Amino acid sequence: MTHHVILGAGPAGVIAAETLRKHAPADTITLVGDEPDAPYSRMAIPYLLIGNIEEQGTYLRKSATHFDDLRITQVKAKVTRVDAAGKIVQLDNGQSISFDKLLIATGSHPVRPPIAGMDLPGVHPCWTLEDARAIMRLATKGARVLQMGAGFIGCIIMEALAARGVRLSVVEMGDRMVPRMMGPTAGGMIKDWCQTKGVRVHTGTRVEAIHAGAPLDVRLSNGQHVAADLVISAAGVKPAIGFLENSGITCLLGVLTDEHLQTNVPGIYAAGDCCEAFDKVSGKTIVSAIQPNAAEQARVAALNMVAFARGAAPAAELKGVTQINVLDTLGLISTSFGDWQGVPGGEHVELTDIPAGRHLSLQFKDDVLVGCNSVGWTEHVGV
């Protein structure tokens, strides 16, 4: 009987465990998650902050007995080391778990900026349910909130903070909002929109230090000081793979995998935000940290884990890695698809109507559309 161990209890880990159980009813499955709560979706946290759902609404599966019913053993601990040769994972509770097949689905963790004062009370990331509870205690109506970072995650958090009625300031190091997803015109339009909604936006600016006090005193690189009852760090994320150091498993930005989601070590797979997956469309490996990719990678990896255990040929291939984001920033819809910055030798066409709040940037390679930015266009966005 094969023992499948899954590291990470987010969407990728849960879908992989369920897929394994469906296709390998007699195998043993262990799901390791490093948080005390039931497996949940981080994407639901803004809805919790707004008040649209309770904590249980963030849970990936609503039945309290769901994993027991599927005979999936849950372990609440953090992985500290993987011994790929010995087929053992070590956990921070002192436990060691041996495996036959391993899936690494540990997701991402927030980047912690090297800024004095990050350990002060009132300074929080917005990544876990525990973070959300702390933010809800402090982000009361009229509270002064400073948010570090105006990327994709930061803009989603902004929506929730605005709904709570806080006085919000946003500080972004890039020269525009959402700089890793939007070009200068689109990012500038989003900034202008936010400012008309009462948000103070500082682009091309860094937080240099946070000083203790009530309120906190936040010193910016533009020389200004901002008083804040709460500081939220939304300065980006990176794959949570530090525990793989010296494991023998190849990692670049993420855990490197082939089109079967297998790593360089046979029988060890990766999926989700920690995974650098081979994309047949572009012919390169990509970390694309969005939930639809996590779900599909988990399904493909699990099917191949079952096939590998039975000595069969790989059962599934990852066809492509979707690069698509649709963002709602205080009611302004923007999108980013594919190679939105364009490709060498490609062509570019743009339509911009600032008064109407509409912008469309299309990138072509020969006669093929390869990338897009849009603001204020919602027709056929899903296509």
Side-chain angles (χ1 to χ4, degrees):
M1 188 165 58
T2 301
H3 184 194
H4 303 277
V5 173
I6 300 169
L7 304 178
V14 167
I15 289 170
E18 293 168 343
T19 305
L20 285 167
R21 176 54 71 226
K22 179 179 178 180
H23 294 277
D27 286 358
T28 302
I29 302 170
T30 301
L31 181 65
V32 180
D34 65 357
E35 294 186 51
D37 301 287
Y40 67 92
S41 172
R42 300 198 197 286
M43 295 304 296
I45 286 177
Y47 302 101
L48 174 64
L49 294 177
I50 290 170
N52 287 348
I53 57 173
E54 301 293 326
E55 281 197 13
Q56 290 78 5
T58 68
Y59 293 174
L60 289 165
R61 302 295 179 257
K62 305 311 183 207
S63 166
T65 62
H66 177 77
F67 297 99
D68 290 339
D69 294 343
L70 291 176
R71 291 175 292 111
I72 296 168
T73 301
Q74 293 188 80
V75 176
K76 305 289 188 181
K78 186 174 183 177
V79 59
T80 56
R81 184 172 176 269
V82 173
D83 179 353
K87 294 190 171 183
I88 294 172
V89 298
Q90 294 181 348
L91 307 179
D92 67 350
N93 62 2
Q95 186 177 359
S96 295
I97 303 176
S98 60
F99 63 85
D100 298 305
K101 302 293 170 283
L102 178 70
L103 177 67
I104 301 163
T106 44
S108 303
H109 58 74
V111 172
R112 180 187 166 87
I115 296 168
M118 291 295 292
D119 290 325
L120 289 170
V123 181
H124 298 278
C126 184
W127 195 244
T128 65
L129 281 177
E130 186 178 351
D131 295 332
R133 294 174 195 128
I135 289 168
M136 286 190 289
R137 285 194 296 269
L138 294 169
T140 54
K141 187 174 179 64
R144 294 160 292 186
V145 179
L146 182 137
Q147 178 177 298
M148 299 164 52
F152 182 75
I153 293 169
C155 285
I156 293 172
I157 297 168
M158 260 176 37
E159 184 90 8
L161 293 171
R164 295 182 70 85
V166 306
R167 289 180 282 167
L168 181 61
S169 298
V170 176
V171 178
E172 167 58 47
M173 288 177 59
D175 64 353
R176 60 191 183 274
M177 292 187 70
V178 213
R180 286 168 294 281
M181 176 177 145
M182 294 291 173
T185 301
M189 290 175 70
I190 295 170
K191 175 181 176 178
D192 292 343
W193 173 268
C194 290
Q195 293 191 138
T196 65
K197 296 292 182 178
V199 180
R200 295 177 61 193
V201 181
H202 305 265
T203 50
T205 306
R206 299 184 315 278
V207 170
E208 293 194 331
I210 305 169
H211 301 289
L216 296 162
D217 175 37
V218 183
R219 176 164 54 87
L220 307 183
S221 61
N222 61 11
Q224 295 186 37
H225 287 250
V226 178
D229 303 300
L230 166 65
V231 173
I232 296 176
S233 177
V237 298
K238 62 181 180 180
I241 56 175
F243 61 92
L244 293 174
E245 191 172 357
N246 301 320
S247 67
I249 298 168
T250 300
C251 299
L252 299 178
L253 180 60
V255 182
L256 191 63
T257 65
D258 61 16
E259 65 271 29
H260 307 298
L261 279 307
Q262 187 168 232
T263 69
N264 64 303
V265 180
I268 298 181
Y269 296 76
D273 291 13
C274 69
C275 170
E276 188 160 343
F278 179 73
D279 175 30
K280 282 187 169 183
V281 176
S282 64
K284 58 188 179 184
T285 57
I286 299 172
V287 175
S288 186
I290 58 175
Q291 195 159 313
N293 283 332
E296 177 61 6
Q297 290 170 4
R299 184 189 72 84
V300 170
L303 291 173
N304 289 325
M305 290 167 76
V306 173
F308 190 101
R310 294 172 177 167
E317 286 188 4
L318 188 71
K319 302 302 183 188
V321 179
T322 306
Q323 293 190 85
I324 168 177
N325 281 298
V326 180
L327 178 62
D328 182 347
T329 309
L330 307 178
L332 182 67
I333 308 298
S334 58
T335 69
S336 181
F337 297 88
D339 290 314
W340 59 269
Q341 294 167 300
V343 294
E347 293 182 291
H348 171 224
V349 64
E350 190 170 303
L351 291 168
T352 304
D353 185 345
I354 296 288
R358 287 162 72 88
H359 166 70
L360 183 64
S361 169
L362 303 178
Q363 302 287 348
F364 294 88
K365 178 175 171 55
D366 301 321
D367 61 347
V368 177
L369 180 67
V370 295
C372 168
N373 264 177
S374 77
V375 177
W377 294 73
T378 55
E379 302 90 339
H380 312 298
V381 161
V383 175

